[in-house]
Amino acid sequence: MRLLQSLTNIAALAGLAQSASLQQVSNFGDNPTGLQMYAYVPDKLAASPAVIVALHPCGGSAQGWYSGTKLPSYADQLGFILIYAGTTKMSNCWDVQNPASLTHNGGGDAGGIVSMVKYTLDKYKGDASKVYVMGGSSGAMMTNVMAGSYPDIFEAGAAFSGVAHACFLGAPSATPFSPNQTCAQGQIQRSAAEWGNLVRNSYPGYTGRRTRMQIFHGNADTLVRPECAHQALTQWANVLGLSLTKTNSGVPSAQYTQEVYGDGTQLQGFFGQGVGHIAPVNEPVMLKFFGLMT
């Protein structure tokens, strides 16, 4: 009996030792700005797994963002892979003002993130048509950058309290301490076409499908004003050729109002009354939009 119990304990310990955990990855390819890469690969991968890139806020880290949402538990259930990119420069904020990141194949933080995606797809035989990006604050800003600069890579994105693609273009940096906060304060005035051109100019001549987007923001956000989310929605509506068709109060919860563009499959906005910075990640709403949940 004791022998059986011992064998059971050993088996249980072996199972724990083999359970999935966040792992740092080195030598993943071209990495012009020295980013860190961490990956969460669930024990039970789906066949040709989807890949989600998760981008931390300013002052954050890959490890912190891993603990900051419930995405790892959904990865365990659904079998997708999570990439947690990390930057240690510019107060751990992403280089969303950098022309390199705002240019397809231009390098910057965006170039390193794309290298992580390509490495992961190759190593785990992932589905290149199911690559997604999400993030909070600076990570949400970078989510819009990735969608604009690399529509050929990312099928959909979800930005929680970010700004429009290339909103910070021309600023010396993109931190809360930067002297130029006109972008984050929603003070930059552009037409819909001008916002859209910022995306189109990041990948001149591109005629393929565009990244579908979800934009989440708190109406009580004073660090990154809600006007920034309206600008992002204006931008993506122009790029995707959509218009606002309806608003739904109380979606996905009582605090929120949903904005639906077109039929809602390509662009949605969510504004939370009394919600500050950062709008909480709603994993089920995001994953359903991505097409990874029903």
Side-chain angles (χ1 to χ4, degrees):
M1 187 69 175
R2 288 180 179 175
L3 177 60
L4 179 61
Q5 185 63 49
S6 296
L7 291 172
T8 301
N9 291 340
I10 290 170
L13 288 171
L16 287 172
Q18 294 170 2
S19 62
S21 62
L22 188 68
Q23 298 291 327
Q24 187 164 11
V25 180
S26 302
N27 303 317
F28 52 82
D30 188 40
N31 186 17
T33 56
L35 300 182
Q36 299 170 337
M37 176 184 177
Y38 290 81
Y40 182 78
V41 182
D43 293 329
K44 294 182 179 179
L45 270 180
S48 299
V51 175
I52 299 177
V53 177
L55 301 173
H56 64 72
C58 274
S61 66
Q63 302 98 312
W65 198 230
Y66 166 76
S67 303
T69 77
K70 298 175 183 176
L71 281 174
S73 64
Y74 283 97
D76 290 335
Q77 297 172 39
L78 301 171
F80 59 78
I81 297 170
L82 286 161
I83 296 173
Y84 290 91
T87 177
T88 58
K89 298 176 181 177
M90 203 169 63
S91 302
N92 293 24
C93 301
W94 299 99
D95 70 348
V96 298
Q97 86 296 342
N98 185 356
S101 279
L102 293 168
T103 303
H104 184 77
N105 290 338
D109 288 350
I113 291 168
V114 168
S115 293
M116 297 178 197
V117 170
K118 291 179 177 178
Y119 169 90
T120 303
L121 290 173
D122 182 62
K123 181 175 175 63
Y124 296 100
K125 296 180 174 58
D127 187 341
S129 70
K130 294 181 179 179
V131 177
Y132 310 92
V133 59
M134 62 80 65
S137 191
S138 179
M141 300 174 190
M142 196 62 177
T143 293
N144 281 297
V145 167
M146 300 310 299
S149 295
Y150 294 92
D152 55 329
I153 299 291
F154 295 98
E155 205 279 327
F160 296 81
S161 305
V163 302
H165 174 89
C167 178
F168 269 100
L169 180 63
S173 65
T175 79
F177 319 108
S178 172
N180 185 345
Q181 291 297 310
T182 54
C183 169
Q185 289 298 301
Q187 296 169 348
I188 295 176
Q189 300 298 315
R190 290 192 174 101
S191 68
E194 287 170 338
W195 282 117
N197 284 339
L198 288 172
V199 171
R200 288 182 283 269
N201 291 341
S202 287
Y203 193 174
Y206 179 74
T207 58
R209 65 124 180 91
R210 289 286 177 177
T211 306
R212 302 182 296 110
M213 292 297 296
Q214 269 189 338
I215 305 294
F216 296 80
H217 219 98
N219 283 332
D221 192 341
T222 57
L223 184 65
V224 181
R225 298 282 181 178
E227 178 59 24
C228 297
H230 290 293
Q231 291 169 349
L233 287 164
T234 295
Q235 180 177 64
W236 292 118
N238 181 265
V239 170
L240 293 164
L242 302 173
S243 59
L244 179 65
T245 53
K246 61 180 176 179
T247 59
N248 297 314
S249 298
V251 178
S253 61
Q255 271 186 300
Y256 282 83
T257 297
Q258 179 193 41
E259 294 188 354
V260 178
Y261 291 77
D263 63 4
T265 61
Q266 296 182 78
L267 182 63
Q268 302 175 357
F270 297 90
F271 291 88
Q273 194 63 31
V275 176
H277 194 80
I278 304 168
V281 174
N282 189 316
E283 294 88 353
V285 169
M286 181 182 74
L287 292 172
K288 286 175 184 177
F289 181 74
F290 285 178
L292 299 179
M293 288 179 65
T294 56

